[in-house]
């Protein structure tokens, strides 16, 4: 009987120590998975533009119930435009795709902590709680029929200080995922 009590006490102690670490690991993995899904959607959008010989774009929406994005194809032959997306001229061909799930807490965002440096190659500082969609004046990531794109970054957070940036490099259309590390630096994943 004493052995069982000691064993159960040790098990309870082990669980009490390991559960917070496990929770942090699960948050990081959810954030990594969301960033990988977004990078994959960007690559798929680029391939759609090349295959169809028309502009294709990833349109981002911030919403109370959860952020999402969708792939649209150029129907007006003038590029992907907000007004043409709204009117249906640039039709949605895939999505909407949620950024995260209601369980994982991943969303478009910049954590509310001391200012964070912009992800390379950008310079400057991200304001806490600032706009996580850094694509110029719109919330559309557009790819041309030859695979070039809008340059920019999309920031994802888990609500617990975790941060990832999915970066698209304009002329080449390269897509990279970066992680903000605890030592206050960006690291390419």
């Amino acid at each position: 009987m004493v052995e069982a009590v000691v064993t159960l006490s040790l098990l309870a102690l082990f669980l009490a120590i390991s559960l917070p670490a496990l929770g942090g690991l699960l948050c990081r993995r959810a954030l990594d998975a969301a960033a990988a899904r977004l990078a994959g959607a960007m690559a798929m959008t680029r391939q759609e533009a090349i295959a169809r010989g028309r502009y294709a774009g990833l349109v981002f929406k911030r919403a109370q119930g959860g952020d999402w994005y969708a792939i649209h194809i150029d129907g007006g032959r003038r590029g992907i435009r907000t007004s043409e997306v709204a009117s249906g001229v640039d039709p949605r061909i895939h999505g909407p795709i949620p950024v995260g799930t209601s369980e994982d807490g991943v969303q478009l965002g910049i954590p509310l902590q001391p200012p964070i440096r912009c992800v390379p190659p950008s310079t400057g500082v991200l304001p806490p709680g600032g706009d996580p969609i850094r694509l110029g004046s719109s919330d559309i990531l557009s790819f041309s029929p030859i695979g070039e794109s809008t340059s920019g970054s999309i920031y994802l957070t888990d609500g617990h200080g975790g941060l990832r940036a999915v970066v698209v490099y304009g002329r080449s259309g390269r897509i990279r995922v970066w992680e903000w590390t605890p030592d206050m630096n960006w690291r390419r994943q």
Side-chain angles (χ1 to χ4, degrees):
M1 180 71 162
V2 172
E3 293 88 7
V5 170
V6 169
T7 302
L8 287 175
S9 297
L10 288 173
L11 181 60
L13 179 63
F14 174 73
L15 285 174
I17 292 171
S18 64
L19 282 180
L22 180 61
L25 176 66
L26 293 176
C27 284
R28 285 191 303 277
R29 292 301 145 234
L31 192 53
D32 288 340
R37 280 192 309 271
L38 178 55
M42 290 175 175
M44 186 168 87
T45 304
R46 182 175 186 265
Q47 290 305 314
E48 286 287 345
I50 293 168
R52 293 176 186 242
R54 297 196 289 185
Y55 279 85
L58 208 55
V59 178
F60 292 88
K61 293 288 182 187
R62 312 262 342 254
Q64 192 69 21
D67 304 327
W68 56 270
Y69 50 90
I71 300 173
H72 289 258
I73 197 76
D74 183 16
R77 302 286 183 182
R78 299 186 311 157
I80 305 296
R81 297 172 182 254
T82 303
S83 62
E84 292 181 352
V85 167
S87 70
V89 170
D90 292 342
R92 183 173 59 208
I93 60 170
H94 191 67
I97 304 159
V99 170
T101 68
S102 58
E103 294 83 29
D104 66 20
V106 174
Q107 61 187 355
L108 298 172
I110 297 170
L112 297 171
Q113 59 187 23
I116 297 170
R117 288 190 325 275
C118 292
V119 68
S122 297
T123 58
V125 175
L126 297 169
D131 186 6
I133 304 168
R134 316 250 293 150
L135 300 171
S137 62
S138 79
D139 289 346
I140 300 174
L141 173 62
S142 183
F143 289 92
S144 77
I146 60 171
E148 293 178 338
S149 73
T150 309
S151 292
S153 306
I154 308 295
Y155 293 90
L156 304 171
T157 184
D158 60 7
H160 301 287
L163 183 64
R164 302 294 180 274
V166 184
V167 180
V168 180
Y169 299 93
R171 295 207 56 175
S172 67
R174 281 184 310 152
I175 301 160
R176 298 287 184 261
V177 176
W178 292 76
E179 173 186 14
W180 182 249
T181 63
D183 63 345
M184 309 293 275
N185 286 305
W186 286 104
R187 182 182 71 197
R188 201 169 93 191
Q189 289 190 313

